[in-house]
Amino acid sequence: MALAKEIMGISLLEKSSSFINPSKVLLNCNFYHKENQFWVNQGRRKLRPTKALRQSPMAAISENLIKVVPEKAVKFKVRAVVTVRNKNKEDLKETLVKHLDAFTDKIGRNVALELISTDMDPNTKEPKKSKQAVLKDWSKKSNLKTERVNYTAEFVVDSNFGTPGAITVTNKHQQEFFLESITIEGFAMGPVHFPCNSWVQPKKDHPGKRIFFSNQPYLPNETPAGLIYLRERELRDLRGDGTGVRKLSDRIYDYDIYNDLGNPDKGIDFARPKLGGKDNVPYPRRCRTSRVPTVTDMSAESRVEKPNPTYVPRDEQFEESKMNAFSTGRLKAVLHNLIPSLMASISSKNHDFKGFSDIDSLYSEGLLLKLGLQDEVLKKLPLPKVVSSIKEGNLLKYDTPKILSKDKFAWLRDDEFARQAIAGVNPVTIERLQVFPPVSKLDPEIYGPQESALKEEHILGNLNGMTVQEALDANRLFIVDYHDIYLPFLDRINVLDGRNAYATRTIYFLSDLGTLKPITIELSLPQTGPSSQSKRVVTPPVDATGNWMWQLAKAHVCSNDAGVHQLVNHWLRTHACLEPFILAAHRQLSAMHPIYKLLDPHMRYTLEINGLARQSLINADGVIEACFTPGRYCMEMSAAAYKNWRFDLEGLPADLIRRGIAVPDSTQPHGLKLLIEDYPYAADGLMIWAAIEGWVRNYVNHYYQDLAQVCNDRELQAWYAESINVGHADLRNAEWWPTLATPEDLISILTTIIWLASAQHAALNFGQYPYGGYVPNRPPLMRRLIPDENDPEYTLFLADPQKYFFSALPSLLQATKFMAVVDTLSTHSLDEEYIGERHQPSTWTGDAEIIEAFYEFSAEIRRIEKEIDEKNADTKLRNRCGAGVLPYELLAPSSGPGVTCRGVPNSVSI
């Protein structure tokens, strides 16, 4: 607590003002002596006595000082220190305008500030305000090249001004600037911090004054009188009026359906169904961009193609260091894709990988050398800077994926194939098998018999002497079942050029060592007739032919897995489903609201990365359609999965129980017993879940002591109601939505949101290149089915099974495009903020107890990281330690920049 007190600068004696005579002024905080403790009334409610107050030297303050009431208010000066963040790189126009602003600042076109009190003026019935002040030395400091520049301004206030609660800022320059923070010095209570972190637009573009509040949190009904109107006005400004085309400089948060993925003006092949809305496929809402409709379809929004930016509210856009990292990744992706595209356009040859050495050369030699075209292509590229980047930075040489780092052939082993189901990039699909054979839930009138083709004889020899029922009863059988999600789409997928897929089921047996082994794979196709053989079972091999059949079957499973991972577990369940909660938070929760302050770091960059995804990843003919099995039906498959999405089951404990992987057990540390004890994702995740829940519990209980406070918090209730009724409008009538009536309800809802934004997203995202960058390990699509004796291709398969295997994998163009994109998506930027960290920790809140609780949370996260490291060195845990076995680090909280296969950022930021 002492550390929190010191950082926040709350000690009165340490910060006694040198600007005024304290004997003439009544202190703004009211102190009450009770049982040798001091209670502070901060204009909200009486806080319980804090450690900081008990240990501070405030008790030595003279009673005479406290009781003095001035006969007449005196004026005095207070100083504002305003921190502005510079851009590292400016284009020519920005440089010229910056010089113009420096010149005109001298003649009155400056930055003006006004300080507003939490108190009302009894005479005017309006908040007390200072006289307007302007930033000093803007023209002198405009050429400074430092990252941050501190400017000062002086306010003149009365001694009865009260506590500063808000500042308005007017930018009379021609150019926006990034306002990081403002600190007011000179009041008796010590420095007052205003965390801003916002772009301030020129008055000519946005005439209204920008409002910034101090770091002191207030529940709505505790808002000081002087701030009530400003609190409401700021929220109205952020909501907008639902009309008009958005400018890139706007700060308006609103909702829309996914009607911008297709481009019908380019032709029928580029049209896509609208997602979300009464007459469309159900889906979460996105941020409204308000572009004009397309010419051929008035209900579809026109597209903005890269490199032109798509709208997100200005403060949601990537900061410069993040944008530089993302742009570098995009450049790599463009260059990696450029050369195979050129080759495809000038050659009639089908560029398949001919063997494993072809893939290896992408890492050892680079794409140009592999194609034998380095000098030829470099001479033809028109941009000298690009040529230089290729030569100096080796941008066309792929980094070796981590899956190859310990054992080049690990991916071929069955135990590694199974291990990745619980410790790979998609460890959230495996379930305990409760009924054998498994049964489909699809309509048999449409999709044929619900029964599986699996029989006891297919698995009996791999159960260590158990019967099937004994294995079920002993919780030894598990399944990854993609039958129902893929089968409805296979008719359409398998007529696409270069696509051939099954709907797969894979059964695993849990060994005595705690590892899984795959014991059978079922491959299903749509039934074409009453007697058609639409289901096929493949079992572990006993001969050479069976071995290649088995490898092809596993590749099809991985292809199914890659699609569900990307479209459902990653994009839908973290990116898309969180966006409505973020939009509603900005629209309904004031920056002063303690819950907004809690959620703020977990919303960073999400709207921007989702906007970029709609622009170039999940759009018609985008990267996802090009690289994944469902092709143009990718987002329809994602929308089909949304119908079964349930927010109440998105928390980790609820999800583990739903999948039958865990059962409640009060004797266990987290209240759950894992049925696969060495389940790295679940074991590490439960530790992080518990840490998040503990932090949220301390936070919520500090502000809400009873259910009345939760129910009567109009901003909180409006946020949650709008998230459901507008943001998830297509599921608004579902009975499973949790209620928000008690502090315990709020703790559960917030913990789930923070878990999804941080740890769940990290577990699903940052292993994409480390595991998927080696395409044979996780092919994102398959181009050939497995031949049987009656197929014409069977002879080709027998003659050269390796060639057939590679012809079934993605082509060179598909593979390299996929590799480049997942490389970018797996990269941490330099400005990443990880769980247990907060930028500007001294200013984000004014509550000392909360600062102290956050330090405890941060310490717990560091402890968890050490425990994860210890587990990864424990040879008894065979799913994370052993010869050629990768450690499970996707939930290790911290990371350096780049592709590290570890690190848990606070938010969905890539």
Side-chain angles (χ1 to χ4, degrees), residues 744-773:
E744 199 62 34
D745 294 338
L746 182 56
I747 290 165
S748 175
I749 291 166
L750 293 173
T751 302
T752 298
I753 290 173
I754 293 172
W755 161 260
L756 291 172
S758 57
Q760 180 77 316
H761 177 260
L764 294 167
N765 183 74
F766 292 103
Q768 290 190 80
Y769 187 80
Y771 284 95

Short mmCIF file of all heavy atoms in Angstrom, two decimals, residues 744-773:
data_model
loop_
_atom_site.label_atom_id
_atom_site.label_comp_id
_atom_site.label_asym_id
_atom_site.label_seq_id
_atom_site.Cartn_x
_atom_site.Cartn_y
_atom_site.Cartn_z
N GLU A 744 -21.94 -11.06 -7.24
CA GLU A 744 -21.43 -12.34 -7.71
C GLU A 744 -21.70 -12.52 -9.21
O GLU A 744 -20.87 -13.05 -9.94
CB GLU A 744 -22.05 -13.48 -6.91
CG GLU A 744 -21.28 -14.78 -6.98
CD GLU A 744 -19.88 -14.69 -6.40
OE1 GLU A 744 -19.67 -13.93 -5.42
OE2 GLU A 744 -18.98 -15.37 -6.94
N ASP A 745 -22.88 -12.09 -9.67
CA ASP A 745 -23.18 -12.12 -11.11
C ASP A 745 -22.16 -11.30 -11.88
O ASP A 745 -21.66 -11.73 -12.93
CB ASP A 745 -24.58 -11.56 -11.38
CG ASP A 745 -25.69 -12.40 -10.80
OD1 ASP A 745 -25.46 -13.60 -10.54
OD2 ASP A 745 -26.80 -11.85 -10.60
N LEU A 746 -21.90 -10.12 -11.39
CA LEU A 746 -20.98 -9.21 -12.07
C LEU A 746 -19.58 -9.79 -12.12
O LEU A 746 -18.89 -9.71 -13.15
CB LEU A 746 -20.97 -7.85 -11.38
CG LEU A 746 -20.08 -6.77 -11.99
CD1 LEU A 746 -20.42 -6.52 -13.45
CD2 LEU A 746 -20.19 -5.48 -11.17
N ILE A 747 -19.14 -10.41 -11.03
CA ILE A 747 -17.82 -11.04 -11.00
C ILE A 747 -17.72 -12.12 -12.06
O ILE A 747 -16.73 -12.21 -12.80
CB ILE A 747 -17.55 -11.63 -9.60
CG1 ILE A 747 -17.37 -10.50 -8.57
CG2 ILE A 747 -16.32 -12.53 -9.60
CD1 ILE A 747 -17.46 -10.96 -7.13
N SER A 748 -18.75 -12.95 -12.18
CA SER A 748 -18.74 -14.03 -13.15
C SER A 748 -18.70 -13.50 -14.58
O SER A 748 -17.92 -13.98 -15.42
CB SER A 748 -19.98 -14.92 -12.96
OG SER A 748 -20.05 -15.91 -13.95
N ILE A 749 -19.52 -12.50 -14.90
CA ILE A 749 -19.58 -11.94 -16.25
C ILE A 749 -18.26 -11.29 -16.62
O ILE A 749 -17.72 -11.52 -17.72
CB ILE A 749 -20.75 -10.94 -16.34
CG1 ILE A 749 -22.08 -11.67 -16.26
CG2 ILE A 749 -20.65 -10.12 -17.63
CD1 ILE A 749 -23.27 -10.76 -16.00
N LEU A 750 -17.71 -10.49 -15.72
CA LEU A 750 -16.46 -9.79 -16.02
C LEU A 750 -15.29 -10.76 -16.14
O LEU A 750 -14.42 -10.59 -17.00
CB LEU A 750 -16.18 -8.74 -14.95
CG LEU A 750 -17.14 -7.56 -14.88
CD1 LEU A 750 -16.85 -6.69 -13.67
CD2 LEU A 750 -17.07 -6.72 -16.16
N THR A 751 -15.25 -11.76 -15.28
CA THR A 751 -14.17 -12.75 -15.36
C THR A 751 -14.19 -13.46 -16.70
O THR A 751 -13.14 -13.68 -17.32
CB THR A 751 -14.28 -13.76 -14.21
OG1 THR A 751 -14.24 -13.08 -12.96
CG2 THR A 751 -13.14 -14.77 -14.25
N THR A 752 -15.39 -13.81 -17.17
CA THR A 752 -15.50 -14.49 -18.46
C THR A 752 -15.01 -13.59 -19.59
O THR A 752 -14.26 -14.03 -20.47
CB THR A 752 -16.95 -14.91 -18.71
OG1 THR A 752 -17.35 -15.85 -17.70
CG2 THR A 752 -17.11 -15.54 -20.08
N ILE A 753 -15.40 -12.33 -19.59
CA ILE A 753 -14.98 -11.41 -20.65
C ILE A 753 -13.47 -11.23 -20.65
O ILE A 753 -12.81 -11.28 -21.70
CB ILE A 753 -15.71 -10.07 -20.50
CG1 ILE A 753 -17.19 -10.23 -20.84
CG2 ILE A 753 -15.07 -8.99 -21.38
CD1 ILE A 753 -18.03 -9.00 -20.55
N ILE A 754 -12.89 -11.03 -19.47
CA ILE A 754 -11.44 -10.81 -19.39
C ILE A 754 -10.69 -12.09 -19.77
O ILE A 754 -9.66 -12.04 -20.45
CB ILE A 754 -11.06 -10.33 -17.97
CG1 ILE A 754 -11.65 -8.93 -17.74
CG2 ILE A 754 -9.55 -10.31 -17.78
CD1 ILE A 754 -11.51 -8.42 -16.32
N TRP A 755 -11.20 -13.25 -19.37
CA TRP A 755 -10.59 -14.53 -19.76
C TRP A 755 -10.57 -14.68 -21.28
O TRP A 755 -9.55 -15.03 -21.87
CB TRP A 755 -11.35 -15.68 -19.11
CG TRP A 755 -11.12 -17.00 -19.78
CD1 TRP A 755 -11.96 -17.62 -20.67
CD2 TRP A 755 -9.98 -17.86 -19.64
NE1 TRP A 755 -11.40 -18.82 -21.08
CE2 TRP A 755 -10.19 -18.98 -20.46
CE3 TRP A 755 -8.81 -17.78 -18.89
CZ2 TRP A 755 -9.28 -20.02 -20.57
CZ3 TRP A 755 -7.89 -18.82 -18.99
CH2 TRP A 755 -8.12 -19.91 -19.81
N LEU A 756 -11.71 -14.40 -21.92
CA LEU A 756 -11.79 -14.55 -23.37
C LEU A 756 -10.84 -13.59 -24.08
O LEU A 756 -10.19 -13.96 -25.07
CB LEU A 756 -13.23 -14.30 -23.84
CG LEU A 756 -14.27 -15.36 -23.45
CD1 LEU A 756 -15.67 -14.88 -23.81
CD2 LEU A 756 -13.97 -16.69 -24.13
N ALA A 757 -10.77 -12.35 -23.61
CA ALA A 757 -9.95 -11.34 -24.27
C ALA A 757 -8.47 -11.59 -24.08
O ALA A 757 -7.66 -11.22 -24.95
CB ALA A 757 -10.31 -9.95 -23.74
N SER A 758 -8.09 -12.21 -22.99
CA SER A 758 -6.67 -12.37 -22.68
C SER A 758 -6.22 -13.81 -22.90
O SER A 758 -5.71 -14.16 -23.97
CB SER A 758 -6.40 -11.91 -21.24
OG SER A 758 -7.20 -12.64 -20.30
N ALA A 759 -6.41 -14.67 -21.92
CA ALA A 759 -5.83 -16.01 -21.96
C ALA A 759 -6.43 -16.90 -23.04
O ALA A 759 -5.70 -17.61 -23.74
CB ALA A 759 -5.99 -16.68 -20.59
N GLN A 760 -7.75 -16.88 -23.21
CA GLN A 760 -8.35 -17.75 -24.22
C GLN A 760 -7.86 -17.36 -25.61
O GLN A 760 -7.51 -18.22 -26.42
CB GLN A 760 -9.88 -17.67 -24.14
CG GLN A 760 -10.61 -18.53 -25.15
CD GLN A 760 -10.64 -20.00 -24.76
OE1 GLN A 760 -9.63 -20.56 -24.34
NE2 GLN A 760 -11.78 -20.64 -24.92
N HIS A 761 -7.86 -16.07 -25.91
CA HIS A 761 -7.38 -15.65 -27.23
C HIS A 761 -5.91 -16.00 -27.41
O HIS A 761 -5.50 -16.46 -28.48
CB HIS A 761 -7.59 -14.14 -27.42
CG HIS A 761 -7.04 -13.65 -28.73
ND1 HIS A 761 -5.81 -13.02 -28.83
CD2 HIS A 761 -7.52 -13.75 -30.00
CE1 HIS A 761 -5.58 -12.73 -30.10
NE2 HIS A 761 -6.58 -13.15 -30.82
N ALA A 762 -5.10 -15.80 -26.40
CA ALA A 762 -3.67 -16.10 -26.51
C ALA A 762 -3.45 -17.58 -26.79
O ALA A 762 -2.63 -17.95 -27.64
CB ALA A 762 -2.95 -15.69 -25.23
N ALA A 763 -4.18 -18.45 -26.09
CA ALA A 763 -4.02 -19.88 -26.28
C ALA A 763 -4.39 -20.31 -27.69
O ALA A 763 -3.83 -21.27 -28.23
CB ALA A 763 -4.89 -20.64 -25.27
N LEU A 764 -5.32 -19.57 -28.33
CA LEU A 764 -5.80 -19.94 -29.66
C LEU A 764 -5.06 -19.21 -30.78
O LEU A 764 -5.21 -19.58 -31.95
CB LEU A 764 -7.29 -19.63 -29.77
CG LEU A 764 -8.22 -20.46 -28.89
CD1 LEU A 764 -9.62 -19.86 -28.85
CD2 LEU A 764 -8.26 -21.91 -29.34
N ASN A 765 -4.29 -18.20 -30.45
CA ASN A 765 -3.72 -17.36 -31.50
C ASN A 765 -2.22 -17.52 -31.69
O ASN A 765 -1.75 -17.69 -32.81
CB ASN A 765 -4.03 -15.89 -31.22
CG ASN A 765 -3.52 -14.98 -32.32
OD1 ASN A 765 -4.10 -14.92 -33.40
ND2 ASN A 765 -2.43 -14.27 -32.06
N PHE A 766 -1.44 -17.44 -30.63
CA PHE A 766 -0.01 -17.25 -30.79
C PHE A 766 0.76 -18.53 -31.10
O PHE A 766 1.97 -18.50 -31.25
CB PHE A 766 0.57 -16.52 -29.56
CG PHE A 766 0.08 -15.11 -29.46
CD1 PHE A 766 -0.91 -14.77 -28.56
CD2 PHE A 766 0.57 -14.13 -30.31
CE1 PHE A 766 -1.39 -13.48 -28.50
CE2 PHE A 766 0.10 -12.84 -30.26
CZ PHE A 766 -0.89 -12.51 -29.35
N GLY A 767 0.06 -19.64 -31.24
CA GLY A 767 0.70 -20.86 -31.71
C GLY A 767 0.44 -21.14 -33.18
O GLY A 767 0.84 -22.20 -33.69
N GLN A 768 -0.21 -20.21 -33.88
CA GLN A 768 -0.61 -20.50 -35.25
C GLN A 768 0.57 -20.75 -36.18
O GLN A 768 0.59 -21.71 -36.94
CB GLN A 768 -1.48 -19.35 -35.80
CG GLN A 768 -2.85 -19.29 -35.16
CD GLN A 768 -3.76 -18.32 -35.89
OE1 GLN A 768 -4.34 -18.64 -36.92
NE2 GLN A 768 -3.88 -17.13 -35.35
N TYR A 769 1.58 -19.88 -36.12
CA TYR A 769 2.76 -20.15 -36.95
C TYR A 769 3.66 -21.23 -36.35
O TYR A 769 4.14 -22.11 -37.07
CB TYR A 769 3.57 -18.88 -37.20
CG TYR A 769 4.69 -19.11 -38.19
CD1 TYR A 769 4.42 -19.14 -39.56
CD2 TYR A 769 5.99 -19.36 -37.77
CE1 TYR A 769 5.44 -19.38 -40.48
CE2 TYR A 769 7.00 -19.61 -38.68
CZ TYR A 769 6.73 -19.61 -40.04
OH TYR A 769 7.72 -19.86 -40.94
N PRO A 770 3.91 -21.22 -35.02
CA PRO A 770 4.76 -22.28 -34.46
C PRO A 770 4.28 -23.69 -34.77
O PRO A 770 5.09 -24.60 -34.94
CB PRO A 770 4.73 -21.99 -32.95
CG PRO A 770 4.54 -20.50 -32.88
CD PRO A 770 3.62 -20.18 -34.02
N TYR A 771 2.97 -23.90 -34.85
CA TYR A 771 2.43 -25.23 -35.18
C TYR A 771 1.99 -25.33 -36.64
O TYR A 771 2.17 -26.36 -37.28
CB TYR A 771 1.25 -25.57 -34.27
CG TYR A 771 1.65 -25.96 -32.88
CD1 TYR A 771 1.68 -25.04 -31.84
CD2 TYR A 771 2.00 -27.28 -32.58
CE1 TYR A 771 2.06 -25.40 -30.56
CE2 TYR A 771 2.37 -27.65 -31.30
CZ TYR A 771 2.40 -26.71 -30.29
OH TYR A 771 2.77 -27.07 -29.03
N GLY A 772 1.39 -24.28 -37.18
CA GLY A 772 0.84 -24.33 -38.53
C GLY A 772 1.79 -23.87 -39.61
O GLY A 772 1.51 -24.06 -40.79
N GLY A 773 2.91 -23.26 -39.22
CA GLY A 773 3.88 -22.81 -40.21
C GLY A 773 4.55 -23.95 -40.95
O GLY A 773 5.16 -23.73 -42.01
#
